[in-house]
Amino acid sequence: MTLVRRLAAILLASFYMVSLFAGWLAPFDYAHQSRDCIAAPPSARHLLGTDELGRDSFSRLIYATRVSLLLAPAAALLATTLAACIGGVAGFRGGIFETIAMKATDLTLSLPWLFLLLIARAWMPLSMPPWQTLLITFLLLGSFGWAGAARVVCAAAGSLRASDMLLYARAYGCSQGRVFAAHLLPTLRPILLAQFLILIPIFILSEGNLGVLGLGVGEPMPSWGNLLRELVDLPAVAERPWMLAPLVVFALVTGCFYLLTSPGDYA
Amino acid sequence: MGAPPEPRWGGELRFCVRADPKTLDPLETTDQPGQTVRYLTGGVLLRLNRATQALEPELAESWHSEMAGRAIGFRIRKGVRFSDGSAFTAADVAYSLKTLFDPASHFPIADSFRRGPGAIVVEQRGPDEVRVVFPQAAAGVERLFDEVVIVSRLWPAARRGAIGMPVLGPYAVAEYHAGSYIRLARNPNYWQTGASGRRLPYIDTLRLLIQQNRALELLRFTKGDIDMVDTLDPEDYARLARGGPWRVDDLGPGLGAEQLWFNQATAAPIPDFKKGWFRSREFRTGLSAALNRADISRVAFSGRAIPAPGAISPANRFWFDARVPTPAYAPQQALATLAQAGFRLTGGTLRDSRGKAVELSIITNSGNRLRERTAALIQEDLAKIGIRVTVVTLDFPSLIERITRTFDYDTCLLGFSSVDLDPTGQMNLWLSSANAHAWNPEQKTPATGWEAEIDRLMELQATESVLVKRKAAFDQVQEIAAREGPMLFLVYRNALCAVSSELRNVQPSVVGPTLIWNIERLYFAPARHLEAKR
């Protein structure tokens, strides 16, 4: 492992540790409002200043990291697993399997998700605690975010269907399941990792946007999504550049994921 | 000292409207862009002076009440011409009003005039007099004529609103490019004149740019592309106030109030124990005392709002009831009031007499930062008395669906903007049978004694011809609402606006249209670079 990757691993591990011990590390509760100290600049008391409600931005960033760093990769893992199963089997078996799977993928991609999510919100009780809404949101993202990745995986699996590698495995008497699980999927791993990495930031940002539908993370719980959503107020960002801290952390974490799982490791 | 210099004539004034008008027909329009065009182009019998909040004669030289408040007679101004040069007469007024009040036409403005069963009769009495007779006494109805545009009887009804239609207002529509802009050109025959006797308006053309995005509107203003912004958020106001070739105005509290109400609808699919809470006066007023309105004003609105005692803001000078007290922030008093209804704070959680923990949700519209902040402040205030609040932001159609059809919500945080100074314009909110009676709409019979009393008082003020008695009746409505707390009024948001420093004689008003209500008398400063720019 190169030095850069080691550093990335240490940094990512640090972020995870910080998020896991947020309760101990955060100087304030994420919901605590210091109403006499609103939109304050960074200081010894508030390392990243405060937001418009006087909440400590550093504490909120730590708690947001916990929410997003645990749940977004989990949702991405779910979506990638579904993509591997659906796209992988479709590409591996071909024929009617591929046709049906790709039709299902097309259908999923073409569905009016906005309206479906509105219906989902209508079904959910309004007084649901924020953490339940949060789990449901990421579950929805993971369950329905597989389609794009499945297409890529299907194409890759299809190109390997008649490869010598799989031909030899079949000739040695491997079952179809073993060929798929022991030979095809490991070969697809770089593609699956790439899809996994792509989906993490997409899900983090999607969660932020879902806030307008009453899904996502509700007040006062912070997430990277809703912290990043605050950056749309560009004049405010220009006046208080420390508001960019969530974006910096987001970029660092995404970069770390990329460095740790870049295709070079699997060449 | 010489005479004051003659205002500069000419130039083009630019400002933004939020969307394309749905129609340019002045009788038909209901949306804000359409109403703006109507205000700028339409001639009316009476005009509300936005500065004094008094009605003034416009195309009617005078008006008077007849038949014990059942009728209004207008004496029509002579010598006025439409923009195409044709003469304006009482026949045009009678034609316009008959068209408007025709029951088969269903014009939205006409609904505001309806008082009881029966038709509204329009009579032309001689060459310059018109009388409108209502089925019953119609108090405060005169001000509605501020919205009734007089159209030419010679212009085909099918082409009403088309470019080229003769108008009596200061401007006429010259161009309309959907999604881009509307250009209005001066009416060469406008009846008002300046000090020199020349026909107003001073400014030659108006360009209404269709711009939905508020951030882009602000950007265009700071770049000098447009000359005014009539509604600013407190943050934008603060940014512009730091300086630039413009002036910003804080007009003080506007006409609307931010409010929170409890769902008391009989058909609401919420648990019975919650309905019980929401129907308890002690619960509602207890929660009211737990809300820190001063903090909502200071934190959520950056100090550009004031705590609200009731529905009517002090900006509505005549109808505001100064005797209605603003609820003080008093968490201990809140708990004492709640205790009267059996609520107890145990272990940091407020519980009702059956031991149910008090938990409720607040719905509000997403994308409104000020309202989202207000909800977060309420959430923390109520947490201090042991109430767990979930804030749910919904897109506007979903929110409206819940508060008007499914009634599937606990409480709702919204702002009602009042455009009409007269309480008769709020009948739809206060009458228990009305569909906008937010907390329990469309009741067949009033659910409570105090709602029945509000119904009676509102009917009384709508038919009483003596203004003082009307005021007394509506004051009582405000006092009952404050005592019973069906809606917790939070703050009156300040009206904030910005105007280019090149534009003169602007007199911003909390009554819309905020900046252009005296459009015919606005003019540009004779800046050296102005000609090049325009």
Side-chain angles (χ1 to χ4, degrees), chain B residues 220-497:
Chain B
R220 294 180 91 156
F221 177 73
T222 53
K223 289 175 72 178
D225 286 349
I226 58 173
D227 299 293
M228 54 174 65
V229 182
D230 64 0
T231 313
L232 288 172
D233 276 347
E235 285 92 347
D236 294 330
Y237 176 88
R239 283 176 198 126
L240 292 179
R242 283 178 206 143
W246 50 72
R247 98 175 206 222
V248 288
D249 280 297
D250 181 346
L251 311 180
L255 291 172
E258 293 290 311
Q259 55 207 291
L260 179 82
W261 74 85
F262 304 91
N263 182 5
Q264 298 183 52
T266 315
I270 58 174
D272 285 341
F273 63 84
K274 279 196 175 177
K275 285 182 185 170
W277 299 347
F278 300 156
R279 287 173 187 160
S280 157
R281 183 176 72 175
E282 288 76 17
F283 181 83
R284 299 188 301 260
T285 53
L287 262 64
S288 180
L291 301 181
N292 192 334
R293 289 167 172 80
D295 273 2
I296 294 173
S297 304
R298 186 176 55 82
V299 178
F301 291 86
S302 309
R304 302 283 169 193
I306 61 166
I312 302 296
S313 145
N316 190 343
R317 292 173 206 159
F318 182 75
W319 294 102
F320 173 67
D321 182 359
R323 286 174 304 177
V324 176
T326 305
Y329 172 57
Q332 289 309 315
Q333 186 201 319
L335 287 169
T337 307
L338 287 162
Q340 291 170 21
F343 292 90
R344 293 283 180 277
L345 184 63
T346 49
T349 302
L350 190 74
R351 295 182 183 279
D352 68 8
S353 54
R354 285 168 297 180
K356 287 258 182 213
V358 180
E359 298 179 351
L360 48 89
S361 59
I362 297 176
I363 58 170
T364 190
N365 58 314
S366 57
N368 186 321
R369 284 179 300 167
L370 302 178
R371 210 160 277 152
E372 287 173 9
R373 275 183 222 161
T374 303
L377 292 169
I378 293 172
Q379 190 178 39
E380 176 147 305
D381 284 345
L382 296 185
K384 287 175 185 163
I385 59 164
I387 298 177
R388 190 174 73 79
V389 173
T390 308
V391 175
V392 182
T393 55
L394 297 171
D395 62 298
F396 212 72
S398 299
L399 183 91
I400 296 299
E401 173 84 3
R402 281 187 188 262
I403 62 175
T404 60
R405 292 191 60 191
T406 66
F407 304 116
D408 186 8
Y409 70 101
D410 293 341
T411 69
C412 180
L413 172 66
L414 267 187
F416 280 138
S417 56
S418 177
V419 290
D420 190 353
L421 296 175
D422 194 280
T424 306
Q426 295 189 3
M427 294 290 272
N428 210 18
L429 170 67
W430 293 110
L431 289 184
S432 61
S433 57
N435 58 5
H437 189 66
W439 64 91
N440 189 6
E442 296 180 339
Q443 299 172 43
K444 288 190 172 61
T445 53
T448 60
W450 56 268
E451 282 175 287
E453 180 62 4
I454 286 180
D455 284 358
R456 187 188 71 79
L457 291 164
M458 286 304 289
E459 295 289 359
L460 176 68
Q461 72 77 29
T463 50
E464 174 60 59
S465 55
V466 181
L467 194 57
V468 179
K469 289 183 181 172
R470 292 188 65 210
K471 172 80 166 87
F474 191 60
D475 280 355
Q476 280 190 63
V477 170
Q478 294 179 67
E479 285 152 27
I480 292 171
R483 190 175 66 235
E484 297 293 336
M487 292 194 281
L488 308 185
F489 299 100
L490 303 172
V491 294
Y492 305 121
R493 181 180 171 172
N494 287 11
L496 308 171
C497 56

Side-chain angles (χ1 to χ4, degrees), chain B residues 115-196:
Chain B
R115 298 286 188 279
I120 300 169
V121 179
V122 179
E123 301 165 351
Q124 184 181 343
R125 304 158 83 195
D128 56 358
E129 274 193 48
V130 172
R131 185 169 79 164
V132 184
V133 183
F134 297 92
Q136 62 185 62
V141 80
E142 299 92 335
R143 84 212 178 277
L144 294 174
F145 285 94
D146 177 80
E147 296 176 41
V148 177
V149 167
I150 304 303
V151 295
S152 169
R153 70 189 190 288
L154 304 175
W155 185 257
R159 296 194 60 215
R160 209 166 43 230
I163 292 174
M165 182 181 84
V167 296
L168 293 161
Y171 293 92
V173 178
E175 286 177 72
Y176 173 31
H177 299 275
S180 181
Y181 68 89
I182 305 165
R183 190 173 70 84
L184 308 182
R186 69 159 55 245
N187 169 5
N189 297 312
Y190 185 57
W191 62 276
Q192 289 201 54
T193 55
S196 62

Side-chain angles (χ1 to χ4, degrees), chain A residues 180-232:
Chain A
F180 178 76
H183 295 276
L184 182 70
L185 280 186
T187 314
L188 293 176
R189 196 164 57 176
I191 290 168
L192 293 173
L193 275 168
Q195 294 304 313
F196 172 72
L197 286 172
I198 290 168
L199 288 174
I200 291 173
I202 290 175
F203 286 169
I204 287 171
L205 294 175
S206 300
E207 175 272 310
N209 291 329
L210 287 177
V212 300
L213 302 180
L215 288 166
V217 184
E219 280 284 351
M221 188 179 274
S223 72
W224 282 354
N226 58 31
L227 293 183
L228 290 174
R229 199 150 62 97
E230 289 172 10
L231 302 185
V232 298

Side-chain angles (χ1 to χ4, degrees), chain B residues 26-30 38 96-116 118-120 134-135 141 144-145 147-148:
Chain B
L27 301 184
E28 192 89 60
T29 189
T30 54
R38 182 182 71 192
S96 300
L97 298 181
K98 281 178 181 169
T99 306
L100 182 72
F101 297 134
D102 180 355
S105 303
H106 303 294
F107 289 116
I109 316 167
D111 289 338
S112 316
F113 286 86
R114 307 237 184 268
R115 298 286 188 279
I120 300 169
F134 297 92
V141 80
L144 294 174
F145 285 94
E147 296 176 41
V148 177

